[in-house]
């Protein structure tokens, strides 16, 4: 009887160790370069009532070493791509002989872009994300070729636009004409895919803080994108990560740039309303 009781206690403790959220440092605060404070935890937006009370950046779930890399631009490998984008920003492209700098007063003038996208575009009468807006600038104003959705140059531009917005709260609008697309993204978030029958919510809402194999599950927030993934040694966009997640359920995945992933990006971005833009971030 005593042995059975001891075994029962051991099993209970083991289960607790597996299911209790384990953060790298629950009290860690992210301040980039010692001067840009980043909100990594805050109250969940109203539209998440009943799902989450608090939202947390993926930074909270990383190891101390990975967290530290993001705190200093000299240690953050993603900043190399920001530097490349700054050169491209000043470089004329296309038949019009224009650069980004000819229309925009430096990257800092675009600091309001990353926190608010995806958003409704009145002129195009559809939801736009940053890649779509960049391609419009390239083709319609500069006479240049459209960039592939996840090309290196496109991801560099994403990193640059994120870097100048760091510390600004995410504020993605979900009402008005964007709402039907947002609703579609929400439906996708809770839809189970693949042979493993997993939804986004299965991991990032119901099991964040737990471990799946060697991965410490986060809430799947995208305020840090694009991210430099140490395991891949390259930048990854939000939709690029969506593709990998759906693939990992052993399903036929959607393509970056598809209507499905655009809807999902809008919905997931809105789940982070109130967190700071912190990209380009560092993740495992």
């Amino acid at each position: 009887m005593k042995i059975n009781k001891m075994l029962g206690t051991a099993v209970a403790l083991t289960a607790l160790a597996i299911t209790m959220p384990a953060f790298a440092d629950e009290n860690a605060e992210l301040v980039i370069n010692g001067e840009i404070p980043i909100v990594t935890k805050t109250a969940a937006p109203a539209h998440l009532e009943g799902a989450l009370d608090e939202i947390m950046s993926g930074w909270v779930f990383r190891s101390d070493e990975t967290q530290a890399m993001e705190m200093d631009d000299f240690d953050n490998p993603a900043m190399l791509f920001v530097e490349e984008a700054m050169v491209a920003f000043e470089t004329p492209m296309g038949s019009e002989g224009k650069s980004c700098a000819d229309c925009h007063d430096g990257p800092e003038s675009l600091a309001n872009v990353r926190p608010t996208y995806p958003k409704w575009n009145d002129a195009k009468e559809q939801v736009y994300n940053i890649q779509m807006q960049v391609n419009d600038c390239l083709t319609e104003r500069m006479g240049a070729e459209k960039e592939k959705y996840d090309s290196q140059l496109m991801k560099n531009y994403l990193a640059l636009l994120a870097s100048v917005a760091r510390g600004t709260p995410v504020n993605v609008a979900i009402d008005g004409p964007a709402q039907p697309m947002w609703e579609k993204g929400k439906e996708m978030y809770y839809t189970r895919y693949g042979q493993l029958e997993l939804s986004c919510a299965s991991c990032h809402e119901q099991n964040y803080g737990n471990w799946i194999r060697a991965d410490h599950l986060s809430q799947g927030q995208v305020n840090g994108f694009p991210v430099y993934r140490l395991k891949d040694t390259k930048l990854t966009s939000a939709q690029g990560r969506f593709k990998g997640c759906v693939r990992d359920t052993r399903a036929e995945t959607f393509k970056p740039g598809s209507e499905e992933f655009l809807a999902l990006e809008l919905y997931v971005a809105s789940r982070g309303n109130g967190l700071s833009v912190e990209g380009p971030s560092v993740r495992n």
Side-chain angles (χ1 to χ4, degrees):
M1 185 73 176
K2 186 176 181 180
I3 292 176
N4 288 340
K5 189 173 182 179
M6 291 173 64
L7 285 173
T9 301
V11 170
L13 288 172
T14 300
L16 185 64
I18 293 173
T19 59
M20 282 289 287
F23 305 114
D25 181 352
E26 291 188 51
N27 299 313
E29 294 185 0
L30 175 54
V31 180
I32 298 176
N33 299 331
E35 59 184 22
I36 308 174
I38 302 293
V39 174
T40 58
K41 294 182 184 181
T42 192
H47 63 80
L48 289 184
E49 183 178 0
L52 295 173
D53 295 322
E54 184 180 41
I55 53 175
M56 295 178 252
S57 163
W59 183 83
V60 175
F61 300 85
R62 302 284 62 89
S63 67
D64 293 343
E65 294 78 12
T66 304
Q67 286 183 340
M69 291 180 73
E70 193 178 320
M71 296 177 77
D72 191 324
D73 283 353
F74 285 105
D75 294 330
N76 184 343
M79 295 308 294
L80 295 173
F81 302 102
V82 172
E83 292 179 6
E84 291 180 6
M86 291 178 70
V87 173
F89 191 90
E90 301 282 347
T91 302
M93 298 174 63
S95 60
E96 298 300 312
K98 289 184 177 181
S99 69
C100 303
D102 287 321
C103 293
H104 303 290
D105 187 19
E108 293 77 14
S109 68
L110 299 169
N112 66 327
V113 172
R114 178 62 180 84
T116 58
Y117 274 73
K119 65 187 297 185
W120 180 258
N121 184 314
D122 285 329
K124 301 294 183 177
E125 297 186 335
Q126 67 178 107
V127 171
Y128 254 46
N129 67 1
I130 294 176
Q131 286 98 321
M132 296 164 73
Q133 188 61 60
V134 168
N135 270 330
D136 271 9
C137 288
L138 288 173
T139 59
E140 297 178 10
R141 301 193 180 193
M142 301 164 72
E145 293 294 321
K146 179 184 293 188
E147 278 293 314
K148 291 184 178 179
Y149 206 82
D150 258 353
S151 73
Q152 188 61 59
L153 179 59
M154 185 65 82
K155 289 187 291 187
N156 290 354
Y157 279 138
L158 294 179
L160 176 61
L161 291 170
S163 71
V164 297
R166 289 182 295 185
T168 307
V170 175
N171 185 24
V172 172
I174 63 175
D175 55 358
Q179 186 170 359
M181 185 68 96
W182 183 83
E183 294 286 357
K184 179 176 181 176
K186 181 179 180 180
E187 181 181 0
M188 286 189 65
Y189 190 86
Y190 289 99
T191 298
R192 294 179 179 272
Y193 290 96
Q195 293 178 344
L196 299 182
E197 295 188 341
L198 293 172
S199 67
C200 305
S202 299
C203 290
H204 300 300
E205 185 172 289
Q206 299 159 14
N207 282 290
Y208 69 88
N210 295 333
W211 291 83
I212 180 168
R213 299 177 184 167
D215 189 17
H216 192 192
L217 292 174
S218 72
Q219 289 186 347
Q221 299 288 354
V222 295
N223 62 301
F225 278 79
V227 304
Y228 183 89
R229 300 194 77 206
L230 296 172
K231 64 184 292 185
D232 298 328
T233 64
K234 65 179 182 179
L235 280 179
T236 300
S237 69
Q239 291 197 23
R241 188 70 199 109
F242 294 164
K243 178 181 177 181
C245 282
V246 175
R247 180 197 60 223
D248 289 346
T249 69
R250 298 177 186 171
E252 184 174 345
T253 190
F254 305 100
K255 293 182 179 180
S258 64
E259 182 175 314
E260 291 83 3
F261 275 171
L262 180 60
L264 186 59
E265 184 180 359
L266 174 63
Y267 176 69
V268 174
S270 78
R271 288 174 68 93
N273 279 353
L275 293 174
S276 294
V277 173
E278 65 173 82
S281 62
V282 184
R283 300 291 187 257
N284 297 98

